Amino acid sequence: FSLALFSKDQAEGKVFFYVFEQGKHLPSLILKVRPDKDGINCFEKQYHNLLYIHNNPDLSYFAQYVPRPVLCCKSFQQFVYAETFIGGSQLKNVIVPTRRIDYLKKSSEWLMDFHKKTCCSIEYSDKDLKEKVFLPDSHFSKINEYGLNVDKIQHYIMDCLGERSRSPFPFIFYHGDFTAYNILAHNGKIAVLDWEYSNVKGVPLLDLLNLLTYYCYGKFKGSFYDSFTWALIDENTFSVLSRFLITGYTDAIGIDRCLIDAFVMRFLIELVFLKDSARQEKQDILKLINLFLDKKIKLNYT
């Protein structure tokens, strides 16, 4: 096939090239290029995990909703990744509110079905579950660095674990950046992009929390605190929907509802590590963690 046109865009250190076939109005491929040393790790993970979805007969239903990986290599000191193009509008750009909510529900249902299909349950003691899932050793130095109270966090998590049913813990195929930016909407269907942070043995519920807590991020002009509390703390129409989606997800995957608090704590702790120290978003996340630990706020899902 011949290349007729390139266009490019910048996003988080990546350059995107949209590759068109001669005479076609839509691209056939997207090339992603990164110069940084982490680029090849992200691209290789995305390449192999998407290939796993497309080559696994049990996941054929889900393969139609994700790009097919084509190439992953290093060229001229740049890390290059290519995948098939999927058209649509980002969920965040769907203007009609009722239609946007419909796509949000479709996205949540797709995620729940995907995680049910890829679920692998393992038996853990409370201690192992805390150390391997909710508070890994690798988190401790970072927690201290940000002035968080490790003992409080450990007690918070163990209180949640103490109420569980002792059923095996379900690991799932984790997307890692499941937000309205990476979900495309078109003709009543969705597609899921950007699998760079995916993990075939990931922690459940985090993807859904990511989608819901960032869903109203633009509405609140980039305030994560307001977006998070609107979705999970306050009493409003959207928080009712969030509660319905979260409890529906946990029941379908086989997660004790008493663990939702622990998952939210894990979500916030991991999220704070990813944010630039100078950004208000990091301060919002730290504030939320401390409010939960001091029991000054609680989730609105019961």
Side-chain angles (χ1 to χ4, degrees):
F1 91 150
S2 59
L3 309 180
L5 175 67
F6 286 92
S7 63
K8 62 182 180 179
D9 191 11
Q10 287 273 13
E12 297 182 355
K14 296 190 289 275
V15 180
F16 295 81
F17 294 87
Y18 299 90
V19 185
F20 293 75
E21 290 184 64
Q22 189 75 35
K24 298 291 182 67
H25 298 292
L26 291 175
S28 295
L29 295 175
I30 295 180
L31 296 178
K32 300 180 182 181
V33 180
R34 289 177 62 158
D36 58 298
K37 62 180 181 180
D38 293 328
I40 192 63
N41 295 326
C42 290
F43 287 165
E44 283 185 341
K45 183 179 291 186
Q46 184 170 212
Y47 180 85
H48 291 296
N49 287 348
L50 281 176
L51 204 62
Y52 175 83
I53 294 175
H54 280 278
N55 291 343
N56 190 330
D58 291 337
L59 300 179
S60 58
Y61 169 79
F62 302 98
Q64 62 185 309
Y65 298 98
V66 302
R68 177 180 287 278
V70 176
L71 173 72
C72 184
C73 67
K74 183 178 181 181
S75 179
F76 298 102
Q77 304 304 312
Q78 302 282 320
F79 302 109
V80 182
Y81 168 82
E83 66 185 18
T84 54
F85 173 81
I86 298 179
S89 300
Q90 288 179 314
L91 177 57
K92 73 180 184 70
N93 292 330
V94 176
I95 298 173
V96 181
T98 54
R99 189 173 298 170
R100 193 166 180 239
I101 287 293
D102 285 342
Y103 279 118
L104 172 68
K105 292 177 181 176
K106 288 179 185 295
S107 302
S108 301
E109 290 169 2
W110 185 93
L111 184 71
M112 181 180 69
D113 291 341
F114 181 64
H115 285 177
K116 282 175 63 178
K117 193 68 176 179
T118 59
C119 180
C120 174
S121 297
I122 300 176
E123 291 189 3
Y124 278 131
S125 66
D126 288 356
K127 181 176 180 293
D128 286 341
L129 199 54
K130 174 180 75 75
E131 295 176 355
K132 297 180 184 299
V133 176
F134 293 108
L135 196 59
D137 290 341
S138 59
H139 284 31
F140 275 83
S141 61
K142 294 181 180 179
I143 288 173
N144 286 321
E145 181 183 341
Y146 293 117
L148 295 169
N149 190 311
V150 175
D151 289 336
K152 276 189 177 182
I153 294 173
Q154 291 193 92
H155 283 118
Y156 185 92
I157 291 172
M158 290 305 292
D159 285 346
C160 297
L161 294 174
E163 299 179 18
R164 72 186 183 100
S165 65
R166 301 303 183 275
S167 57
F169 184 83
F171 288 96
I172 48 79
F173 197 132
Y174 174 61
H175 179 276
D177 195 13
F178 199 75
T179 68
Y181 289 85
N182 293 328
I183 297 170
L184 298 182
H186 182 66
N187 288 340
K189 296 182 179 180
I190 66 153
V192 184
L193 308 179
D194 285 347
W195 293 73
E196 292 181 8
Y197 304 103
S198 58
N199 189 333
V200 293
K201 186 185 176 184
V203 178
L205 194 59
L206 303 188
D207 278 333
L208 182 58
L209 290 173
N210 207 34
L211 175 64
L212 295 174
T213 55
Y214 276 103
Y215 185 74
C216 296
Y217 195 59
K219 169 185 172 72
F220 294 107
K221 297 180 172 58
S223 168
F224 181 78
Y225 181 86
D226 290 337
S227 182
F228 181 95
T229 54
W230 178 260
L232 300 183
I233 306 297
D234 299 338
E235 185 61 49
N236 55 68
T237 304
F238 187 73
S239 69
V240 171
L241 174 61
S242 294
R243 179 165 66 242
F244 172 78
L245 295 175
I246 288 173
T247 54
Y249 176 97
T250 55
D251 292 348
I253 303 300
I255 299 170
D256 295 322
R257 291 190 182 184
C258 64
L259 294 182
I260 295 176
D261 298 83
F263 281 109
V264 171
M265 183 59 64
R266 160 70 193 259
F267 169 70
L268 290 173
I269 289 173
E270 193 149 302
L271 198 60
V272 78
F273 298 159
L274 301 176
K275 303 303 175 182
D276 190 309
S277 298
R279 293 181 61 181
Q280 179 59 42
E281 187 174 4
K282 182 183 283 289
Q283 300 309 313
D284 286 348
I285 299 166
L286 290 170
K287 178 181 178 181
L288 285 164
I289 291 172
N290 285 316
L291 287 172
F292 275 118
L293 294 177
D294 294 336
K295 301 188 183 330
K296 292 182 178 179
I297 58 173
K298 64 178 181 178
L299 296 175
N300 182 9
Y301 65 85
T302 56

